[in-house]
Amino acid sequence: MQSPKIMVMGVGNILLSDEGLGVRFLDELAKNTLPDNVELLEGGTAGLELVHLIQDVDFLIIIDALNANAEPGALFRFQPGDLQVIPEQYEVSFHQIGIVEVITMANVLGHAPQTLIFGIQPKSLEWGLEISPEIEALFPRLSELIIKEIDSIQHEGKFASP
């Protein structure tokens, strides 16, 4: 049996401090030995340009800043279908074209991967290249969670149970 293709995508604007946490997190995750069928991708703020990059992926794990009006560092794990139950005051993405639109477009074009999103409430969205220490302190725990998801996909063919 062929291993499923797994992509871990960090998205965000690295010029706005914690807004770039998804992209910056990939450096932390890359410190781990990952299976050959796992690809890391810096999605930045590319938007719809990402559609063609995810169409041949079986499982997509996204890390992004999430505005849930929560405490900085609050971590959320959800799938795109869960968004109907997220209250309107939550902004799933700070980007102009959100990742949910990218997945929807991939679906329209024929194939969207099974997708899991890890969103983190940022502390600062000020201009700057540095991630807040409180947010960066979450990266080792987030790495553990992502590796657990990859292991679950490898051994069970699905995301881990929440």
Side-chain angles (χ1 to χ4, degrees):
M1 183 174 108
Q2 185 176 347
S3 296
K5 186 170 181 182
I6 303 167
M7 178 181 284
V8 180
M9 180 189 302
V11 294
N13 186 339
I14 62 169
L15 300 176
L16 296 175
S17 51
D18 293 345
E19 216 293 292
L21 65 85
V23 175
R24 300 289 190 211
F25 166 74
L26 293 181
D27 293 335
E28 175 76 21
L29 187 61
K31 294 175 185 175
N32 297 279
T33 302
L34 300 171
D36 291 338
N37 60 317
V38 175
E39 177 184 357
L40 303 182
L41 178 73
E42 292 183 9
T45 57
L48 290 176
E49 296 88 25
L50 298 171
V51 171
H52 74 281
L53 297 174
I54 65 170
Q55 285 200 289
D56 66 340
V57 172
D58 299 305
F59 291 88
L60 176 63
I61 301 171
I62 298 167
I63 297 90
D64 196 4
L66 169 82
N67 185 13
N69 297 319
E71 288 292 314
L75 178 64
F76 302 88
R77 177 193 183 275
F78 59 95
Q79 293 184 282
D82 298 336
L83 294 178
Q84 287 85 16
V85 300
I86 293 179
E88 287 181 19
Q89 74 266 24
Y90 293 6
E91 293 175 41
V92 175
S93 181
F94 291 97
H95 324 302
Q96 204 167 25
I97 300 286
I99 198 67
V100 174
E101 288 85 353
V102 171
I103 294 162
T104 301
M105 183 61 73
N107 230 348
V108 167
L109 294 174
H111 177 72
Q114 294 184 56
T115 303
L116 183 65
I117 302 169
F118 283 92
I120 298 173
Q121 177 70 49
K123 178 179 180 185
S124 171
L125 297 175
E126 301 296 318
W127 285 102
L129 298 174
E130 301 297 319
I131 301 292
S132 299
E134 299 89 335
I135 303 301
E136 198 166 8
L138 297 171
F139 285 4
R141 174 70 180 128
L142 186 55
S143 282
E144 291 173 13
L145 293 171
I146 301 293
I147 290 169
K148 178 182 172 189
E149 296 295 343
I150 292 169
D151 287 344
S152 180
I153 294 166
Q154 299 282 74
H155 297 103
E156 299 177 36
K158 61 181 184 174
F159 292 120
S161 298

